[in-house]
């Protein structure tokens, strides 16, 4: 049913009662949130630490379901609270305008009829007859009446409306004043109607199925509820400082009341959770809700991208539900592009040391990200704690951009493509995030390290070359790098001796040919393959042709690469100067050579952070992050 709000109802509406109702729903929401945290920390968390039996595992699963129920109640009650509070807040303005108009009518002794029309007395003198001009009644322009309805008045005060003569101005001095009051009443009522209907539609969607079985379908419904309330409370969205700096956003958040913060968290968890400059604990709270909504949204979708991201989201959710050391903070989550996820091990707002690692080739929000990439950040945090047990560290993995979906082998094979666009798009986003870290960190002078692995080193390198460099960064670590787009380390804006490089001897990405070499290698592969095919066919028929073609391609590629390499600067690789070269001018630290291509494929490219595979590299990275760079083991540049 559409809103049927009358001006009398708007006048008499006690907004304080709506505010009290909103406060009641807020208490329920907060109680559910606190209960969920208690289940996670005091019940499931302790049980997981002290018990390993099958019955304990069953109990933990049931407690996880109870926690999810509490989270759903917290979400839905928060939406109701935000809706009721928003309704009260928005109705205040038209109610105030209505009361002002009614006060003006009373002061002039005008009569206000039930339909909002205004009766006014006679006044002025008819210049033809000399008699007093009679009074009448006017109807306000409420946006639905035509121009013919304006200025209507009942002759002789009998309440029968007849139009005045078109084009003439009523000479009664009360007419214009009464029309103004009637228009203001109509405007206030029209605005209140629109507000009331908006929130009525949003509130009508906030329903739970009988039995409250909180599953993915339930969260999909909650995602739709959040969207509906967000559409109703659009005045809130207008207040979000999306185009401001992270420092300005922090200042905005700091000056909100707790009630306003709760409203934003309830209605726009996806925005607040991904807004650089918002405190880490707030982003984590918003994103723990948002990840549930995303899982609900993507569940049941059959396209491959949705399935892939859904798997990653579920694995991250599982890790969030399990106590970790250091504790996890979900600083960003989203399904745009190949998926977005920013996870910190340790609180980056309170930690003295903060690192933010950008992953590279082939990384996307999937199971591998949750199971493998996150572990790298955790290993760095644990290593830093070991390097300096007395100083807190937060280690972040930042997947805030779309990395090229190629393996190291794919990149080596596609020598005709540059792939800079992803890094160019990711660099400013990374800098915005790092500016947010600087804005929210509570230490006077935190030690901040930017880390780029693989293609992520190009993203970090381009970010560092922007004006002012990476915000707050004291050190930069580049591992498995195909180049940064810079000629020398000086261009990365962290000062001499503060760019550190790890490059495994068997990591082919750190040895990708520059483009002249790549063209020579491509020509050699084609020429060698053709020659080998012809020779092989002549000697042993089709099988010989196949073997000869492959062998010829390898030999030809090597020959072509060597020919071009002799004519080009050996320090120049795929994206500029090799960071591990002497020409670049960085500090190279010791890493394990890693397995050869024959032994382990491209494994040498992915083991820099993993102590069980490359203890030397993991220790060196951790020491730099902990501010102990003077203790790292060095290696000669290439």
């Amino acid at each position: 049913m559409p809103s049927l709000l009358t001006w009398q109802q708007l006048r008499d509406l006690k907004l304080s009662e709506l505010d009290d109702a909103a406060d009641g729903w807020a208490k329920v929401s907060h109680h559910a949130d606190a209960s969920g945290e208690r289940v996670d920390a005091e019940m499931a968390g302790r049980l997981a630490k002290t018990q390993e039996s099958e019955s304990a595992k069953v109990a933990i699963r049931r407690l996880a379901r109870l926690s999810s129920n509490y989270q759903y109640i917290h979400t839905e009650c928060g939406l109701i609270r935000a809706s009721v509070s928003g309704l009260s807040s928005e109705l205040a303005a038209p109610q105030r305008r209505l009361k002002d108009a009614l006060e003006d009518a009373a002061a002039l002794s005008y009569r206000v009829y039930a339909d909002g029309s205004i009766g006014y007395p006679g006044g002025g003198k008819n210049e033809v007859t000399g008699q007093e001009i009679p009074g009448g009644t006017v109807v306000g322009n409420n946006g639905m009446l035509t121009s013919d309805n304006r200025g209507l008045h009942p002759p002789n005060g009998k309440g029968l409306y007849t139009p005045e003569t078109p084009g003439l101005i009523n000479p009664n001095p009360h007419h214009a004043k009464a029309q103004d009051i009637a228009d203001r009443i109509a405007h206030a009522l029209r605005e209140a109607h629109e507000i009331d209907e908006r929130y009525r539609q949003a509130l009508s969607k906030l329903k739970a199925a009988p039995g409250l079985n909180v599953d993915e379908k339930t969260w999909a419904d909650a995602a739709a509820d959040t969207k509906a309330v967000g559409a109703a409370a659009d005045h809130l969205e207008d207040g979000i400082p999306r185009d401001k700096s992270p420092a300005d956003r922090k200042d905005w958040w700091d000056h909100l009341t707790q009630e306003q913060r709760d409203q934003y968290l309830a209605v726009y968890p996806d925005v607040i959770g991904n807004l650089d400059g918002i405190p880490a604990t707030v982003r984590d709270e918003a994103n723990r809700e948002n990840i549930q909504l995303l899982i609900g949204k993507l569940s049941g979708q059959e396209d491959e991208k949705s399935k892939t991201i859904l798997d990653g989201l579920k694995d991250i959710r599982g890790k969030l539900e399990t106590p970790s050391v250091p504790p996890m903070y979900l600083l960003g989550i989203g399904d745009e592009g190949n998926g977005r996820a920013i996870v910190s091990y340790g609180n980056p707002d309170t930690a003295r040391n903060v690192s933010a690692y950008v992953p590279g080739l082939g990384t996307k929000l999937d199971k591998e990200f949750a199971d493998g990439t996150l572990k790298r950040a955790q290993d760095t945090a644990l290593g830093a704690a070991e390097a300096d047990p007395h100083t807190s560290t937060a280690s972040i993995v930042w997947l805030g951009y779309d990395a090229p979906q190629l393996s190291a082998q794919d990149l080596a094979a596609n020598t005709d493509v540059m792939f800079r666009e992803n890094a160019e798009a990711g660099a400013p986003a990374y800098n915005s995030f790092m500016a947010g870290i600087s804005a929210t960190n509570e230490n006077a002078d935190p030690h901040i390290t930017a880390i780029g692995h693989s293609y992520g080193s190009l993203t970090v390198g381009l970010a560092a070359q922007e004006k002012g460099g990476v915000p707050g960064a004291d050190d930069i670590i580049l591992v498995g790098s195909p180049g940064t787009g810079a000629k020398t380390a000086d261009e990365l804006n962290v000062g001499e001796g503060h760019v550190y490089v790890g490059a495994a001897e068997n990591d082919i990405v750190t040895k990708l040919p520059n483009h002249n070499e790549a063209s020579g290698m491509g020509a050699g592969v084609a020429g060698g393959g053709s020659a080998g095919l012809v020779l092989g066919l002549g000697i042993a028929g089709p099988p010989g042709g196949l073997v000869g073609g492959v062998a010829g391609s390898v030999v030809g590629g090597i020959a072509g690469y060597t020919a071009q390499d002799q004519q080009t600067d050996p320090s120049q690789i795929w994206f500029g100067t090799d960071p591990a070269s002497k020409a670049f001018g960085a500090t190279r630290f010791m890493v394990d050579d890693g397995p050869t291509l024959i032994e382990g494929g491209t494994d040498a490219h992915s083991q820099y952070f993993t102590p069980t595979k490359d203890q030397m590299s993991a220790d060196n990275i951790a020491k730099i992050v902990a501010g102990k760079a003077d203790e790292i083991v060095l290696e000669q540049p290439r």
Side-chain angles (χ1 to χ4, degrees):
M1 292 290 292
S3 171
L4 298 175
L5 187 69
T6 66
W7 70 261
Q8 294 92 336
Q9 290 172 322
L10 179 59
R11 177 197 61 193
D12 298 335
L13 181 63
K14 295 180 180 178
L15 298 179
S16 60
E17 293 181 352
L18 284 176
D19 293 334
D20 290 342
D23 289 342
W25 284 107
K27 290 178 181 178
V28 177
S29 180
H30 291 157
H31 182 70
D33 187 40
S35 297
E37 290 181 357
R38 183 179 178 187
V39 168
D40 292 338
E42 298 181 18
M43 301 171 72
R46 291 185 182 180
L47 196 59
K49 290 179 181 179
T50 60
Q51 304 293 324
E52 295 182 356
S53 65
E54 288 301 317
S55 59
K57 293 178 181 178
V58 172
I60 290 171
R61 286 197 295 269
R62 292 180 67 87
L63 287 170
R65 185 174 68 182
L66 178 60
S67 176
S68 180
N69 288 354
Y70 276 129
Q71 187 176 3
Y72 176 74
I73 294 170
H74 164 68
T75 298
E76 289 292 299
C77 290
L79 290 173
I80 296 173
R81 179 268 179 94
S83 298
V84 176
S85 180
L87 176 63
S88 173
S89 176
E90 290 198 53
L91 283 177
Q95 185 187 59
R96 183 176 62 253
R97 284 193 282 272
L98 171 68
K99 289 183 176 180
D100 288 346
L102 293 176
E103 288 176 4
D104 289 347
L108 294 167
S109 298
Y110 295 168
R111 183 173 180 179
V112 182
Y113 293 101
D115 63 353
S117 59
I118 303 295
Y120 60 91
K125 182 182 293 186
N126 188 312
E127 295 181 359
V128 178
T129 65
Q131 296 179 341
E132 182 182 56
I133 300 171
T137 303
V138 291
V139 177
N141 177 15
N142 63 7
M144 295 178 288
L145 303 176
T146 66
S147 59
D148 290 338
N149 290 328
R150 290 182 59 84
L152 302 186
H153 67 94
N156 302 321
K158 294 182 180 180
L160 299 175
Y161 293 97
T162 58
E164 296 176 336
T165 304
L168 297 181
I169 298 176
N170 192 318
N172 185 329
H174 293 289
H175 175 271
K177 295 178 182 179
Q179 186 67 63
D180 174 66
I181 292 171
D183 287 347
R184 288 157 58 196
I185 291 174
H187 174 73
L189 194 56
R190 182 176 70 250
E191 184 180 3
H193 270 280
E194 186 275 328
I195 294 168
D196 189 40
E197 178 62 15
R198 231 186 321 121
Y199 281 100
R200 184 198 66 79
Q201 291 183 12
L203 283 165
S204 68
K205 298 180 184 297
L206 302 181
K207 301 175 183 177
L212 193 58
N213 179 27
V214 180
D215 54 16
E216 291 171 0
K217 183 178 179 182
T218 307
W219 281 113
D221 182 67
D225 292 344
T226 303
K227 185 176 181 180
V229 174
D234 54 0
H235 68 289
L236 281 177
E237 186 174 18
D238 293 339
I240 299 174
R242 295 174 185 265
D243 298 329
K244 299 292 185 179
S245 70
D248 288 336
R249 293 169 184 163
K250 181 181 183 298
D251 184 68
W252 166 76
W253 185 262
D254 289 345
H255 286 86
L256 293 177
T257 65
Q258 188 57 49
E259 178 182 354
Q260 290 172 321
R261 292 176 184 175
D262 289 343
Q263 283 185 299
Y264 277 111
L265 283 170
V267 181
Y268 297 107
D270 57 331
V271 178
I272 300 302
N274 292 283
L275 198 63
D276 298 326
I278 300 300
T281 54
V282 177
R283 292 180 72 161
D284 178 66
E285 179 184 351
N287 287 320
R288 284 175 186 258
E289 179 172 327
N290 194 35
I291 195 171
Q292 297 281 26
L293 300 176
L294 283 170
I295 289 172
K297 171 187 172 184
L298 297 177
S299 295
Q301 296 190 21
E302 296 301 323
D303 61 287
E304 198 60 37
K305 173 193 168 184
S306 295
K307 291 179 179 179
T308 298
I309 293 178
L310 183 60
D311 287 342
L313 291 171
K314 288 181 177 180
D315 274 23
I316 292 175
R317 180 180 64 180
K319 292 183 181 299
L320 290 169
E321 293 172 348
T322 304
S324 68
V325 179
M328 287 177 67
Y329 291 82
L330 188 58
L331 305 182
I333 200 74
D335 62 346
E336 58 265 39
N338 293 317
R340 300 286 186 266
I342 307 171
V343 178
S344 178
Y345 283 91
N347 187 339
D349 290 351
T350 59
R352 174 68 179 79
N353 302 312
V354 181
S355 66
Y357 143 58
V358 182
L361 293 172
T363 308
K364 57 185 175 182
L365 181 50
D366 57 4
K367 284 182 67 66
E368 171 58 29
F369 176 84
D371 295 338
T373 309
L374 292 187
K375 186 66 167 58
R376 295 174 183 173
Q378 185 178 23
D379 284 340
T380 298
L382 294 172
E386 185 176 343
D388 186 356
H390 305 295
T391 306
S392 58
T393 296
S395 176
I396 302 167
V397 54
W398 183 86
L399 184 60
Y401 81 125
D402 284 327
Q405 293 307 295
L406 293 171
S407 68
Q409 291 168 313
D410 290 334
L411 184 60
N414 286 273
T415 54
D416 59 332
V417 183
M418 193 68 175
F419 295 115
R420 281 181 59 104
E421 293 82 2
N422 301 69
E424 289 169 349
Y430 181 71
N431 276 350
S432 174
F433 174 76
M434 296 300 278
I437 292 297
S438 295
T440 58
N441 190 279
E442 299 169 6
N443 293 280
D445 185 24
H447 177 249
I448 296 177
T449 305
I451 304 176
H453 172 233
S454 182
Y455 184 88
S457 67
L458 175 63
T459 304
V460 170
L462 294 179
Q465 291 172 75
E466 290 191 350
K467 185 177 180 180
V470 175
D474 299 287
D475 295 308
I476 291 176
I477 300 175
L478 308 169
V479 288
S481 177
T484 65
K487 292 182 178 179
T488 66
D490 293 342
E491 297 178 19
L492 302 188
N493 291 304
V494 287
E496 185 177 356
H498 288 275
V499 178
Y500 301 89
V501 177
E505 182 62 28
N506 294 320
D507 182 353
I508 62 169
V509 173
T510 70
K511 297 181 177 181
L512 284 173
N514 62 50
H515 291 280
N516 287 330
E517 294 167 343
S519 64
M521 186 168 64
V525 167
S530 299
L533 176 63
V534 172
L535 290 172
L537 285 170
I539 296 172
L546 177 62
V547 173
V550 172
S553 295
V554 173
V555 174
I558 293 173
Y561 171 81
T562 302
Q564 285 292 340
D565 188 44
Q566 293 174 351
Q567 302 177 46
T568 58
D569 185 344
S571 69
Q572 298 304 302
I573 57 174
W574 196 249
F575 292 115
T577 307
D578 177 5
S581 70
K582 185 177 180 180
F584 192 72
T587 301
R588 187 181 182 190
F589 56 85
M590 183 75 72
V591 303
D592 190 90
D593 287 346
T596 64
L597 284 171
I598 296 174
E599 294 171 335
T602 59
D603 287 354
H605 182 62
S606 58
Q607 64 185 32
Y608 294 99
F609 300 90
T610 308
T612 56
K613 294 183 176 181
D614 190 345
Q615 186 71 58
M616 178 64 71
S617 177
D619 284 349
N620 283 330
I621 291 171
K623 287 175 181 177
I624 296 168
V625 168
K628 302 282 185 178
D630 57 325
E631 299 179 7
I632 65 174
V633 180
L634 300 179
E635 185 171 3
Q636 287 298 316
R638 290 173 175 166

